């Protein structure tokens, strides 16, 4: 890690990341995986769709049998057996072994066979199939699938009716429905993305909030557990004498102080592999990946100096204190953050407006501090 990691850089405009898929959507790997390996939300979608399909196929099987349509009867019966087995396993709380791809293949075969044998009346079932796949399956898979089903169904309709307008009208209506489905899905995805971002952002400073911090810390712990050579560290920062600022200058001025400090912290994200967060009141956190201890200490010191240079109060200087702690192999999430908190407390105790990292604290003092009441340390800050 070079020292350049610790230098401030000009603030640049950031392009927000686009929305991701809805959490219950199924991708290619999920389609090929046993349901037990999927997230619970996706398992529930598969079960609900299976129940609906099972209830619809029962009368369809009876009808096809009564009409002497052997092929359709056999296909329906096979589908009922497979889906019935899946539902039995689910409600008996046994392992679910049927990949969603098998379900998709079977229902697609049944739909196309119905269209080939019965023509126009059976083509209507393709519409909910298109809509269902647009919503449930990742669009990188569902778009080619839906286009294939529409094209094949159109050809089968033309083959059975010999009337071009029938096939053309069906294909046109199916394509319009497909367009509407993905348009509405895009709106839902954008709305979901905005709601997620709002739930993880601090409304005052624009930084990520404590909820987001908890998620990122958990991810860092998991990544570190899988890859012990990965380097993670945190810088916990706190505004010195913030209560006095609010008392003397008012809460509006206090908010301006927090916004000004947040603007400095947001610059650090442009260095890469850094997340800046406001985790409560006048307290902030930097989560850094691939920064060695000395680089993270230099970064914290740069932030401290940059904040001190800001003109945030008309006749006074605003300062911050910071604690730096690296993630070690024997740390759990709580111990890691407590260590940073202890370092911050020591920076406050020893005069404020400084950076203290865990290697600077005497081991005896550190052990004592770890056993202190956390609330007492918080109350001692001012």
């Amino acid at each position: 890690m070079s020292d350049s990691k610790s230098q401030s850089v000009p603030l640049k405009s950031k392009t927000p990341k686009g929305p991701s898929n809805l959490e219950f959507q199924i991708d290619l790997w999920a389609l090929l995986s046993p349901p037990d390996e999927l997230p619970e939300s996706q398992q529930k979608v598969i079960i609900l769709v299976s129940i609906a399909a099972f209830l619809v196929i029962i009368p369809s099987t009876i009808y096809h049998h009564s009409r002497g349509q052997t092929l359709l009867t056999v296909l329906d019966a096979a589908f009922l057996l497979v889906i019935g087995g899946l539902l039995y396993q689910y409600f008996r709380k046994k392992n679910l072994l049927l990949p969603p791809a098998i379900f998709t293949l079977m229902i697609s075969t049944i739909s196309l066979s119905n269209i080939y044998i019965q023509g126009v009346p059976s083509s209507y079932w393709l519409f909910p199939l298109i809509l269902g796949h647009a919503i449930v399956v990742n669009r990188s898979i569902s778009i080619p699938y839906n286009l294939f089903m529409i094209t094949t169904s159109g050809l089968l309709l033309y083959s059975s009716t010999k009337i071009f307008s029938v096939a053309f009208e069906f294909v046109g209506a199916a394509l319009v429905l497909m367009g509407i489905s993905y348009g509405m899905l895009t709106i839902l995805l954008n709305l979901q993305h905005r709601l997620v971002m709002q739930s993880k952002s601090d409304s005052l400073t624009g930084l990520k909030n404590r909820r987001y911090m908890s998620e990122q810390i958990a991810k860092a712990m998991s990544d570190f557990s899988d890859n012990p050579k990965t380097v993670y560290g945190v810088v916990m920062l706190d505004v010195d004498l913030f209560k006095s600022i609010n008392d003397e200058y008012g809460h509006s001025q206090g908010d301006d102080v927090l916004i000004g400090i947040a603007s400095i912290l947001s610059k650090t994200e442009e260095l890469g592999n850094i997340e800046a967060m406001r985790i409560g009141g006048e307290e902030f956190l930097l989560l850094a990946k691939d920064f060695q201890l000395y680089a993270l200490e230099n970064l914290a010191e740069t932030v401290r100096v940059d904040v001190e240079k800001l003109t945030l109060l008309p006749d006074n200087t605003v300062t911050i204190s910071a604690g730096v702690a690296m993630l070690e192999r024997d740390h759990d999430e709580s111990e890691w953050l407590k260590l940073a908190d202890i370092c911050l407390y020591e920076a406050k105790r020893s005069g404020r407006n400084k950076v203290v990292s865990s290697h600077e604290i005497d081991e005896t003092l550190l052990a004592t501090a770890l056993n202190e009441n956390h609330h007492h340390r918080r109350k001692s800050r001012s």
Side-chain angles (χ1 to χ4, degrees):
M1 185 66 62
S2 66
D3 288 338
S4 62
K5 278 286 189 182
S6 65
Q7 302 302 314
S8 294
V9 293
L11 182 62
K12 300 176 182 177
S13 61
K14 299 177 183 178
T15 303
K17 296 179 180 179
S20 58
N21 291 307
L22 294 167
E23 66 173 9
F24 56 77
Q25 284 195 316
I26 299 173
D27 57 19
L28 178 60
W29 179 251
L31 281 170
L32 301 174
S33 302
D36 277 346
E37 298 179 8
L38 305 180
E40 184 179 356
S41 58
Q42 293 183 355
Q43 291 186 39
K44 289 182 178 179
V45 168
I46 292 173
I47 295 301
L48 289 174
V49 173
S50 297
I51 292 174
F54 189 83
L55 295 176
V56 169
I57 295 297
I58 288 177
S60 175
T61 306
I62 297 173
Y63 173 77
H64 292 151
H65 178 69
S66 67
R67 296 288 300 272
Q69 297 171 326
T70 306
L71 174 61
L72 294 180
T73 302
V74 170
L75 288 173
D76 288 349
F79 183 79
L80 286 174
L81 286 174
V82 172
I83 299 304
L86 174 68
L87 295 175
Y88 174 81
Q89 289 176 320
Y90 178 79
F91 289 112
R92 296 285 293 183
K93 300 188 183 303
K94 297 183 177 181
N95 292 336
L96 305 179
L97 303 177
L98 178 67
I102 301 299
F103 174 89
T104 300
L105 179 62
M106 294 192 68
I107 199 168
S108 301
T109 302
I110 292 173
S111 298
L112 293 177
S113 299
N114 271 277
I115 292 173
Y116 175 72
I117 294 174
Q118 300 190 112
V120 176
S122 294
S123 66
Y124 302 140
W125 284 107
L126 191 66
F127 296 140
L129 197 61
I130 292 171
L131 180 61
H133 273 82
I135 295 174
V136 174
V137 182
N138 185 301
R139 66 177 59 189
S140 63
I141 305 167
S142 63
I143 289 178
Y145 168 84
N146 282 334
L147 289 175
F148 169 78
M149 291 295 290
I150 291 171
T151 302
T152 304
S153 299
L155 292 173
L156 291 174
L157 279 175
Y158 179 69
S159 175
S160 64
T161 64
K162 304 300 181 183
I163 302 175
F164 176 78
S165 61
V166 171
F168 179 80
E169 292 289 345
F170 167 80
V171 170
L175 288 174
V176 169
L177 174 64
M178 181 176 167
I180 293 174
S181 300
Y182 287 107
M184 294 300 295
L185 182 61
T186 299
I187 293 173
L188 288 174
L189 287 171
N190 286 327
L191 178 60
Q192 180 205 36
H193 179 67
R194 288 175 58 189
L195 291 174
V196 168
M197 294 303 294
Q198 288 175 7
S199 71
K200 297 179 181 180
S201 298
D202 176 56
S203 59
L204 176 65
T205 64
L207 298 178
K208 298 300 188 296
N209 60 18
R210 191 177 191 90
R211 175 181 177 181
Y212 182 83
M213 180 206 73
S214 298
E215 293 179 0
Q216 295 307 304
I217 291 292
K219 288 181 181 178
M221 296 292 298
S222 176
D223 185 30
F224 184 75
S225 177
D226 295 336
N227 307 284
K229 292 183 179 180
T230 308
V231 179
Y232 281 99
V234 292
V235 180
M236 192 172 287
L237 311 103
D238 191 277
V239 184
D240 294 328
L241 302 172
F242 187 69
K243 183 177 184 301
S244 299
I245 293 175
N246 277 334
D247 291 344
E248 184 174 351
Y249 298 94
H251 288 277
S252 177
Q253 188 70 51
D255 288 347
D256 290 341
V257 167
L258 296 177
I259 292 171
I261 293 173
S263 70
I264 295 294
L265 296 178
S266 67
K267 295 178 185 179
T268 65
E269 294 187 335
E270 296 169 15
L271 298 174
N273 291 331
I274 292 182
E275 297 273 10
M277 294 157 273
R278 182 189 177 200
I279 58 176
E282 69 275 23
E283 193 169 43
F284 300 86
L285 186 87
L286 296 177
L287 171 62
K289 179 181 179 181
D290 296 333
F291 278 70
Q292 299 296 334
L293 176 59
Y294 75 91
L296 202 53
E297 289 174 334
N298 289 341
L299 177 61
E301 179 63 18
T302 299
V303 170
R304 185 196 67 77
V305 172
D306 287 348
V307 169
E308 192 174 15
K309 290 178 181 178
L310 291 176
T311 306
L312 298 175
L313 297 176
D315 56 356
N316 210 337
T317 300
V318 175
T319 63
I320 61 171
S321 298
V324 179
M326 305 303 293
L327 178 58
E328 303 292 346
R329 185 166 299 183
D330 58 343
H331 285 164
D332 60 23
E333 181 177 327
S334 176
E335 289 171 338
W336 183 21
L337 294 180
K338 276 185 178 181
L339 184 57
D341 193 40
I342 290 167
C343 295
L344 174 56
Y345 170 70
E346 180 61 19
K348 292 278 193 179
R349 189 195 66 79
S350 59
R352 303 187 185 91
N353 191 23
K354 63 190 303 184
V355 176
V356 172
S357 61
S358 55
H359 80 282
E360 300 177 64
I361 300 179
D362 178 82
E363 290 186 4
T364 302
L365 175 63
L366 186 59
T368 302
L370 280 171
N371 293 323
E372 286 182 355
N373 183 275
H374 187 66
H375 175 71
H376 174 70
R377 292 201 309 274
R378 292 279 184 182
K379 187 177 180 182
S380 298
R381 290 188 194 154
S382 60

